[in-house]
Amino acid sequence: MPLVMGHEGSGVVAEVGAGVTDLSVGDHVVLSWVAPCHACRHCRAGHEARCEVAATVVGPGGVLQDGTSRLRLHEDGRQLHHYLGVSSFAEYAVVPASGAIRIRPDAPLEAVALIGCAVATGVGAVRNTAAVEAGTTVAVIGCGGVGLSVVQGAQIARAARIIAIDLHAEKVELAQRLGATDGIALSGGSANDALRRLEPGGVDYAFDAIGTISTIEESIAMLGLGGAAVIVGLPPTGARAAFEPLVLAEADQRILGCNYGGVRPQHDIPRLVDEYVNGRLKLDELISGRRPLEEAEEALDDLEGGHVLRTLLVP
């Protein structure tokens, strides 16, 4: 602290720094909080979401890849810190060039801002982390922005059954409009017990888009023979989950961690924008409303209440 928050964003390039050759003033971009270096061993292997250099920016330092902050308080010049290398709650953002992903100019900038994290993470969890096959069964715990993107990714992958689970009935209903074949609005009891009434043998893939210990454990319990639990939501630091490893071994099951959907930003983000423009991916349905930038705190309060998905902050 102090810092400029915001890790999803889109905009138009206003200026480029020395040495930037693949972006020009006027380009439309989506901001990626993973700005890959393209040089570390993970980037060279095509796993840019694991970039070792980008990981230093995501950490607690609040600076860019060169260890500096480019943000200052206007009144007294005091240094402000970056947030995940993006800091999009502002009229302007200073970002690494590899974190500004050029997109087609006819895509609505407001809607595609969501692709920078929630949508890329959710769809990427299906495509990259789990590699969901056509005809499989999928459960999604949590129908927020990420969970609804998982639902859409599974629908695009032609999963045979997609079961959406949430505490809020309106979110479950939206999940079904976006491609879920079944919905469970929990009012109490076990999510796994409710799922087993629909799919007694368990599912092929269970995605936890919440990140609490109970939802992680439930996602593992939901698996059928050969199934995979994908941990997309972020639990608290130091938390511990429990499962029975013998069941995992005997049933040939897997637990998969998922960071940023395993995306390659330069490849996956323009593809997702294309799918939105072409009508294959729904983004407008994820937008609960719009607020001016000055109401960022109120927008965060709305999000914490659990009844909104994404509120756009528009300068």
Side-chain angles (χ1 to χ4, degrees), residues 145-166:
V146 174
L148 291 172
S149 300
V150 173
V151 168
Q152 294 196 73
Q155 190 269 335
I156 293 171
R158 295 184 290 122
R161 192 171 201 180
I162 305 167
I163 304 169
I165 306 167
D166 199 279

mmCIF file with all atom_site columns, all heavy atoms in Angstrom, residues 145-166:
data_model
loop_
_atom_site.group_PDB
_atom_site.id
_atom_site.type_symbol
_atom_site.label_atom_id
_atom_site.label_alt_id
_atom_site.label_comp_id
_atom_site.label_asym_id
_atom_site.label_entity_id
_atom_site.label_seq_id
_atom_site.pdbx_PDB_ins_code
_atom_site.Cartn_x
_atom_site.Cartn_y
_atom_site.Cartn_z
_atom_site.occupancy
_atom_site.B_iso_or_equiv
_atom_site.pdbx_formal_charge
_atom_site.auth_seq_id
_atom_site.auth_comp_id
_atom_site.auth_asym_id
_atom_site.auth_atom_id
_atom_site.pdbx_PDB_model_num
ATOM 1   N N   . GLY A 1 145 ? -18.183 -15.310 -12.176 1.00 0.00 ? 145 GLY A N   1
ATOM 2   C CA  . GLY A 1 145 ? -17.614 -15.073 -13.494 1.00 0.00 ? 145 GLY A CA  1
ATOM 3   C C   . GLY A 1 145 ? -16.738 -16.201 -13.979 1.00 0.00 ? 145 GLY A C   1
ATOM 4   O O   . GLY A 1 145 ? -16.787 -16.585 -15.157 1.00 0.00 ? 145 GLY A O   1
ATOM 5   N N   . VAL A 1 146 ? -15.920 -16.769 -13.099 1.00 0.00 ? 146 VAL A N   1
ATOM 6   C CA  . VAL A 1 146 ? -15.042 -17.873 -13.495 1.00 0.00 ? 146 VAL A CA  1
ATOM 7   C C   . VAL A 1 146 ? -15.846 -19.143 -13.729 1.00 0.00 ? 146 VAL A C   1
ATOM 8   O O   . VAL A 1 146 ? -15.684 -19.831 -14.746 1.00 0.00 ? 146 VAL A O   1
ATOM 9   C CB  . VAL A 1 146 ? -13.947 -18.099 -12.436 1.00 0.00 ? 146 VAL A CB  1
ATOM 10  C CG1 . VAL A 1 146 ? -13.126 -19.339 -12.775 1.00 0.00 ? 146 VAL A CG1 1
ATOM 11  C CG2 . VAL A 1 146 ? -13.042 -16.875 -12.324 1.00 0.00 ? 146 VAL A CG2 1
ATOM 12  N N   . GLY A 1 147 ? -16.730 -19.492 -12.797 1.00 0.00 ? 147 GLY A N   1
ATOM 13  C CA  . GLY A 1 147 ? -17.508 -20.713 -12.928 1.00 0.00 ? 147 GLY A CA  1
ATOM 14  C C   . GLY A 1 147 ? -18.389 -20.720 -14.164 1.00 0.00 ? 147 GLY A C   1
ATOM 15  O O   . GLY A 1 147 ? -18.506 -21.741 -14.856 1.00 0.00 ? 147 GLY A O   1
ATOM 16  N N   . LEU A 1 148 ? -18.998 -19.579 -14.479 1.00 0.00 ? 148 LEU A N   1
ATOM 17  C CA  . LEU A 1 148 ? -19.828 -19.500 -15.683 1.00 0.00 ? 148 LEU A CA  1
ATOM 18  C C   . LEU A 1 148 ? -18.979 -19.614 -16.940 1.00 0.00 ? 148 LEU A C   1
ATOM 19  O O   . LEU A 1 148 ? -19.450 -20.107 -17.971 1.00 0.00 ? 148 LEU A O   1
ATOM 20  C CB  . LEU A 1 148 ? -20.624 -18.203 -15.692 1.00 0.00 ? 148 LEU A CB  1
ATOM 21  C CG  . LEU A 1 148 ? -21.730 -18.121 -14.629 1.00 0.00 ? 148 LEU A CG  1
ATOM 22  C CD1 . LEU A 1 148 ? -22.331 -16.718 -14.583 1.00 0.00 ? 148 LEU A CD1 1
ATOM 23  C CD2 . LEU A 1 148 ? -22.824 -19.152 -14.880 1.00 0.00 ? 148 LEU A CD2 1
ATOM 24  N N   . SER A 1 149 ? -17.736 -19.185 -16.857 1.00 0.00 ? 149 SER A N   1
ATOM 25  C CA  . SER A 1 149 ? -16.826 -19.370 -17.989 1.00 0.00 ? 149 SER A CA  1
ATOM 26  C C   . SER A 1 149 ? -16.423 -20.829 -18.127 1.00 0.00 ? 149 SER A C   1
ATOM 27  O O   . SER A 1 149 ? -16.245 -21.326 -19.252 1.00 0.00 ? 149 SER A O   1
ATOM 28  C CB  . SER A 1 149 ? -15.598 -18.472 -17.822 1.00 0.00 ? 149 SER A CB  1
ATOM 29  O OG  . SER A 1 149 ? -15.971 -17.107 -17.775 1.00 0.00 ? 149 SER A OG  1
ATOM 30  N N   . VAL A 1 150 ? -16.292 -21.545 -17.000 1.00 0.00 ? 150 VAL A N   1
ATOM 31  C CA  . VAL A 1 150 ? -16.063 -22.986 -17.059 1.00 0.00 ? 150 VAL A CA  1
ATOM 32  C C   . VAL A 1 150 ? -17.251 -23.665 -17.745 1.00 0.00 ? 150 VAL A C   1
ATOM 33  O O   . VAL A 1 150 ? -17.075 -24.538 -18.614 1.00 0.00 ? 150 VAL A O   1
ATOM 34  C CB  . VAL A 1 150 ? -15.840 -23.575 -15.654 1.00 0.00 ? 150 VAL A CB  1
ATOM 35  C CG1 . VAL A 1 150 ? -15.781 -25.104 -15.711 1.00 0.00 ? 150 VAL A CG1 1
ATOM 36  C CG2 . VAL A 1 150 ? -14.557 -23.029 -15.029 1.00 0.00 ? 150 VAL A CG2 1
ATOM 37  N N   . VAL A 1 151 ? -18.454 -23.278 -17.346 1.00 0.00 ? 151 VAL A N   1
ATOM 38  C CA  . VAL A 1 151 ? -19.660 -23.850 -17.972 1.00 0.00 ? 151 VAL A CA  1
ATOM 39  C C   . VAL A 1 151 ? -19.617 -23.642 -19.477 1.00 0.00 ? 151 VAL A C   1
ATOM 40  O O   . VAL A 1 151 ? -19.866 -24.572 -20.267 1.00 0.00 ? 151 VAL A O   1
ATOM 41  C CB  . VAL A 1 151 ? -20.933 -23.204 -17.374 1.00 0.00 ? 151 VAL A CB  1
ATOM 42  C CG1 . VAL A 1 151 ? -22.159 -23.552 -18.212 1.00 0.00 ? 151 VAL A CG1 1
ATOM 43  C CG2 . VAL A 1 151 ? -21.138 -23.670 -15.934 1.00 0.00 ? 151 VAL A CG2 1
ATOM 44  N N   . GLN A 1 152 ? -19.293 -22.434 -19.907 1.00 0.00 ? 152 GLN A N   1
ATOM 45  C CA  . GLN A 1 152 ? -19.259 -22.159 -21.343 1.00 0.00 ? 152 GLN A CA  1
ATOM 46  C C   . GLN A 1 152 ? -18.153 -22.946 -22.035 1.00 0.00 ? 152 GLN A C   1
ATOM 47  O O   . GLN A 1 152 ? -18.341 -23.450 -23.154 1.00 0.00 ? 152 GLN A O   1
ATOM 48  C CB  . GLN A 1 152 ? -19.085 -20.671 -21.586 1.00 0.00 ? 152 GLN A CB  1
ATOM 49  C CG  . GLN A 1 152 ? -20.270 -19.840 -21.130 1.00 0.00 ? 152 GLN A CG  1
ATOM 50  C CD  . GLN A 1 152 ? -20.236 -18.453 -21.723 1.00 0.00 ? 152 GLN A CD  1
ATOM 51  O OE1 . GLN A 1 152 ? -20.488 -18.254 -22.908 1.00 0.00 ? 152 GLN A OE1 1
ATOM 52  N NE2 . GLN A 1 152 ? -19.918 -17.475 -20.885 1.00 0.00 ? 152 GLN A NE2 1
ATOM 53  N N   . GLY A 1 153 ? -17.003 -23.070 -21.380 1.00 0.00 ? 153 GLY A N   1
ATOM 54  C CA  . GLY A 1 153 ? -15.930 -23.860 -21.963 1.00 0.00 ? 153 GLY A CA  1
ATOM 55  C C   . GLY A 1 153 ? -16.328 -25.307 -22.145 1.00 0.00 ? 153 GLY A C   1
ATOM 56  O O   . GLY A 1 153 ? -16.034 -25.933 -23.175 1.00 0.00 ? 153 GLY A O   1
ATOM 57  N N   . ALA A 1 154 ? -17.042 -25.857 -21.151 1.00 0.00 ? 154 ALA A N   1
ATOM 58  C CA  . ALA A 1 154 ? -17.496 -27.243 -21.245 1.00 0.00 ? 154 ALA A CA  1
ATOM 59  C C   . ALA A 1 154 ? -18.545 -27.405 -22.338 1.00 0.00 ? 154 ALA A C   1
ATOM 60  O O   . ALA A 1 154 ? -18.583 -28.420 -23.045 1.00 0.00 ? 154 ALA A O   1
ATOM 61  C CB  . ALA A 1 154 ? -18.057 -27.701 -19.897 1.00 0.00 ? 154 ALA A CB  1
ATOM 62  N N   . GLN A 1 155 ? -19.399 -26.398 -22.485 1.00 0.00 ? 155 GLN A N   1
ATOM 63  C CA  . GLN A 1 155 ? -20.415 -26.451 -23.537 1.00 0.00 ? 155 GLN A CA  1
ATOM 64  C C   . GLN A 1 155 ? -19.759 -26.389 -24.918 1.00 0.00 ? 155 GLN A C   1
ATOM 65  O O   . GLN A 1 155 ? -20.130 -27.134 -25.839 1.00 0.00 ? 155 GLN A O   1
ATOM 66  C CB  . GLN A 1 155 ? -21.401 -25.292 -23.356 1.00 0.00 ? 155 GLN A CB  1
ATOM 67  C CG  . GLN A 1 155 ? -22.637 -25.361 -24.233 1.00 0.00 ? 155 GLN A CG  1
ATOM 68  C CD  . GLN A 1 155 ? -22.448 -24.642 -25.547 1.00 0.00 ? 155 GLN A CD  1
ATOM 69  O OE1 . GLN A 1 155 ? -21.634 -23.727 -25.645 1.00 0.00 ? 155 GLN A OE1 1
ATOM 70  N NE2 . GLN A 1 155 ? -23.177 -25.063 -26.560 1.00 0.00 ? 155 GLN A NE2 1
ATOM 71  N N   . ILE A 1 156 ? -18.758 -25.523 -25.072 1.00 0.00 ? 156 ILE A N   1
ATOM 72  C CA  . ILE A 1 156 ? -18.041 -25.428 -26.345 1.00 0.00 ? 156 ILE A CA  1
ATOM 73  C C   . ILE A 1 156 ? -17.300 -26.734 -26.637 1.00 0.00 ? 156 ILE A C   1
ATOM 74  O O   . ILE A 1 156 ? -17.191 -27.157 -27.797 1.00 0.00 ? 156 ILE A O   1
ATOM 75  C CB  . ILE A 1 156 ? -17.074 -24.231 -26.318 1.00 0.00 ? 156 ILE A CB  1
ATOM 76  C CG1 . ILE A 1 156 ? -17.867 -22.913 -26.273 1.00 0.00 ? 156 ILE A CG1 1
ATOM 77  C CG2 . ILE A 1 156 ? -16.137 -24.253 -27.522 1.00 0.00 ? 156 ILE A CG2 1
ATOM 78  C CD1 . ILE A 1 156 ? -17.006 -21.687 -26.039 1.00 0.00 ? 156 ILE A CD1 1
ATOM 79  N N   . ALA A 1 157 ? -16.798 -27.391 -25.573 1.00 0.00 ? 157 ALA A N   1
ATOM 80  C CA  . ALA A 1 157 ? -16.099 -28.669 -25.734 1.00 0.00 ? 157 ALA A CA  1
ATOM 81  C C   . ALA A 1 157 ? -17.049 -29.832 -25.999 1.00 0.00 ? 157 ALA A C   1
ATOM 82  O O   . ALA A 1 157 ? -16.610 -30.962 -26.179 1.00 0.00 ? 157 ALA A O   1
ATOM 83  C CB  . ALA A 1 157 ? -15.260 -28.961 -24.487 1.00 0.00 ? 157 ALA A CB  1
ATOM 84  N N   . ARG A 1 158 ? -18.359 -29.561 -25.982 1.00 0.00 ? 158 ARG A N   1
ATOM 85  C CA  . ARG A 1 158 ? -19.403 -30.547 -26.261 1.00 0.00 ? 158 ARG A CA  1
ATOM 86  C C   . ARG A 1 158 ? -19.481 -31.643 -25.183 1.00 0.00 ? 158 ARG A C   1
ATOM 87  O O   . ARG A 1 158 ? -19.673 -32.820 -25.490 1.00 0.00 ? 158 ARG A O   1
ATOM 88  C CB  . ARG A 1 158 ? -19.234 -31.154 -27.653 1.00 0.00 ? 158 ARG A CB  1
ATOM 89  C CG  . ARG A 1 158 ? -19.434 -30.139 -28.760 1.00 0.00 ? 158 ARG A CG  1
ATOM 90  C CD  . ARG A 1 158 ? -19.369 -30.709 -30.145 1.00 0.00 ? 158 ARG A CD  1
ATOM 91  N NE  . ARG A 1 158 ? -18.013 -31.126 -30.498 1.00 0.00 ? 158 ARG A NE  1
ATOM 92  C CZ  . ARG A 1 158 ? -17.705 -32.359 -30.856 1.00 0.00 ? 158 ARG A CZ  1
ATOM 93  N NH1 . ARG A 1 158 ? -18.631 -33.305 -30.913 1.00 0.00 ? 158 ARG A NH1 1
ATOM 94  N NH2 . ARG A 1 158 ? -16.468 -32.658 -31.181 1.00 0.00 ? 158 ARG A NH2 1
ATOM 95  N N   . ALA A 1 159 ? -19.303 -31.222 -23.929 1.00 0.00 ? 159 ALA A N   1
ATOM 96  C CA  . ALA A 1 159 ? -19.565 -32.161 -22.834 1.00 0.00 ? 159 ALA A CA  1
ATOM 97  C C   . ALA A 1 159 ? -21.032 -32.583 -22.879 1.00 0.00 ? 159 ALA A C   1
ATOM 98  O O   . ALA A 1 159 ? -21.917 -31.785 -23.204 1.00 0.00 ? 159 ALA A O   1
ATOM 99  C CB  . ALA A 1 159 ? -19.248 -31.507 -21.491 1.00 0.00 ? 159 ALA A CB  1
ATOM 100 N N   . ALA A 1 160 ? -21.287 -33.845 -22.547 1.00 0.00 ? 160 ALA A N   1
ATOM 101 C CA  . ALA A 1 160 ? -22.648 -34.375 -22.651 1.00 0.00 ? 160 ALA A CA  1
ATOM 102 C C   . ALA A 1 160 ? -23.538 -33.867 -21.530 1.00 0.00 ? 160 ALA A C   1
ATOM 103 O O   . ALA A 1 160 ? -24.735 -33.636 -21.732 1.00 0.00 ? 160 ALA A O   1
ATOM 104 C CB  . ALA A 1 160 ? -22.618 -35.902 -22.647 1.00 0.00 ? 160 ALA A CB  1
ATOM 105 N N   . ARG A 1 161 ? -22.970 -33.707 -20.348 1.00 0.00 ? 161 ARG A N   1
ATOM 106 C CA  . ARG A 1 161 ? -23.760 -33.237 -19.201 1.00 0.00 ? 161 ARG A CA  1
ATOM 107 C C   . ARG A 1 161 ? -22.925 -32.258 -18.405 1.00 0.00 ? 161 ARG A C   1
ATOM 108 O O   . ARG A 1 161 ? -21.766 -32.537 -18.060 1.00 0.00 ? 161 ARG A O   1
ATOM 109 C CB  . ARG A 1 161 ? -24.195 -34.408 -18.326 1.00 0.00 ? 161 ARG A CB  1
ATOM 110 C CG  . ARG A 1 161 ? -25.245 -34.039 -17.290 1.00 0.00 ? 161 ARG A CG  1
ATOM 111 C CD  . ARG A 1 161 ? -25.823 -35.241 -16.567 1.00 0.00 ? 161 ARG A CD  1
ATOM 112 N NE  . ARG A 1 161 ? -27.119 -34.921 -15.983 1.00 0.00 ? 161 ARG A NE  1
ATOM 113 C CZ  . ARG A 1 161 ? -27.868 -35.769 -15.281 1.00 0.00 ? 161 ARG A CZ  1
ATOM 114 N NH1 . ARG A 1 161 ? -27.442 -37.019 -15.083 1.00 0.00 ? 161 ARG A NH1 1
ATOM 115 N NH2 . ARG A 1 161 ? -29.030 -35.394 -14.794 1.00 0.00 ? 161 ARG A NH2 1
ATOM 116 N N   . ILE A 1 162 ? -23.500 -31.105 -18.105 1.00 0.00 ? 162 ILE A N   1
ATOM 117 C CA  . ILE A 1 162 ? -22.826 -30.060 -17.336 1.00 0.00 ? 162 ILE A CA  1
ATOM 118 C C   . ILE A 1 162 ? -23.738 -29.691 -16.179 1.00 0.00 ? 162 ILE A C   1
ATOM 119 O O   . ILE A 1 162 ? -24.836 -29.175 -16.387 1.00 0.00 ? 162 ILE A O   1
ATOM 120 C CB  . ILE A 1 162 ? -22.540 -28.819 -18.201 1.00 0.00 ? 162 ILE A CB  1
ATOM 121 C CG1 . ILE A 1 162 ? -21.755 -29.205 -19.456 1.00 0.00 ? 162 ILE A CG1 1
ATOM 122 C CG2 . ILE A 1 162 ? -21.794 -27.762 -17.388 1.00 0.00 ? 162 ILE A CG2 1
ATOM 123 C CD1 . ILE A 1 162 ? -21.695 -28.099 -20.507 1.00 0.00 ? 162 ILE A CD1 1
ATOM 124 N N   . ILE A 1 163 ? -23.289 -29.962 -14.971 1.00 0.00 ? 163 ILE A N   1
ATOM 125 C CA  . ILE A 1 163 ? -24.086 -29.721 -13.775 1.00 0.00 ? 163 ILE A CA  1
ATOM 126 C C   . ILE A 1 163 ? -23.519 -28.508 -13.039 1.00 0.00 ? 163 ILE A C   1
ATOM 127 O O   . ILE A 1 163 ? -22.377 -28.537 -12.576 1.00 0.00 ? 163 ILE A O   1
ATOM 128 C CB  . ILE A 1 163 ? -24.089 -30.959 -12.849 1.00 0.00 ? 163 ILE A CB  1
ATOM 129 C CG1 . ILE A 1 163 ? -24.579 -32.191 -13.618 1.00 0.00 ? 163 ILE A CG1 1
ATOM 130 C CG2 . ILE A 1 163 ? -24.945 -30.708 -11.616 1.00 0.00 ? 163 ILE A CG2 1
ATOM 131 C CD1 . ILE A 1 163 ? -24.381 -33.500 -12.876 1.00 0.00 ? 163 ILE A CD1 1
ATOM 132 N N   . ALA A 1 164 ? -24.294 -27.435 -12.965 1.00 0.00 ? 164 ALA A N   1
ATOM 133 C CA  . ALA A 1 164 ? -23.866 -26.198 -12.319 1.00 0.00 ? 164 ALA A CA  1
ATOM 134 C C   . ALA A 1 164 ? -24.410 -26.138 -10.898 1.00 0.00 ? 164 ALA A C   1
ATOM 135 O O   . ALA A 1 164 ? -25.596 -26.392 -10.673 1.00 0.00 ? 164 ALA A O   1
ATOM 136 C CB  . ALA A 1 164 ? -24.358 -24.991 -13.116 1.00 0.00 ? 164 ALA A CB  1
ATOM 137 N N   . ILE A 1 165 ? -23.552 -25.777 -9.936  1.00 0.00 ? 165 ILE A N   1
ATOM 138 C CA  . ILE A 1 165 ? -23.904 -25.798 -8.515  1.00 0.00 ? 165 ILE A CA  1
ATOM 139 C C   . ILE A 1 165 ? -23.556 -24.452 -7.892  1.00 0.00 ? 165 ILE A C   1
ATOM 140 O O   . ILE A 1 165 ? -22.435 -23.950 -8.054  1.00 0.00 ? 165 ILE A O   1
ATOM 141 C CB  . ILE A 1 165 ? -23.144 -26.928 -7.783  1.00 0.00 ? 165 ILE A CB  1
ATOM 142 C CG1 . ILE A 1 165 ? -23.379 -28.275 -8.476  1.00 0.00 ? 165 ILE A CG1 1
ATOM 143 C CG2 . ILE A 1 165 ? -23.546 -26.991 -6.313  1.00 0.00 ? 165 ILE A CG2 1
ATOM 144 C CD1 . ILE A 1 165 ? -22.434 -29.366 -8.017  1.00 0.00 ? 165 ILE A CD1 1
ATOM 145 N N   . ASP A 1 166 ? -24.510 -23.863 -7.175  1.00 0.00 ? 166 ASP A N   1
ATOM 146 C CA  . ASP A 1 166 ? -24.258 -22.594 -6.498  1.00 0.00 ? 166 ASP A CA  1
ATOM 147 C C   . ASP A 1 166 ? -25.281 -22.425 -5.386  1.00 0.00 ? 166 ASP A C   1
ATOM 148 O O   . ASP A 1 166 ? -26.318 -23.099 -5.366  1.00 0.00 ? 166 ASP A O   1
ATOM 149 C CB  . ASP A 1 166 ? -24.348 -21.422 -7.481  1.00 0.00 ? 166 ASP A CB  1
ATOM 150 C CG  . ASP A 1 166 ? -23.669 -20.163 -6.966  1.00 0.00 ? 166 ASP A CG  1
ATOM 151 O OD1 . ASP A 1 166 ? -24.286 -19.427 -6.163  1.00 0.00 ? 166 ASP A OD1 1
ATOM 152 O OD2 . ASP A 1 166 ? -22.511 -19.917 -7.352  1.00 0.00 ? 166 ASP A OD2 1
#
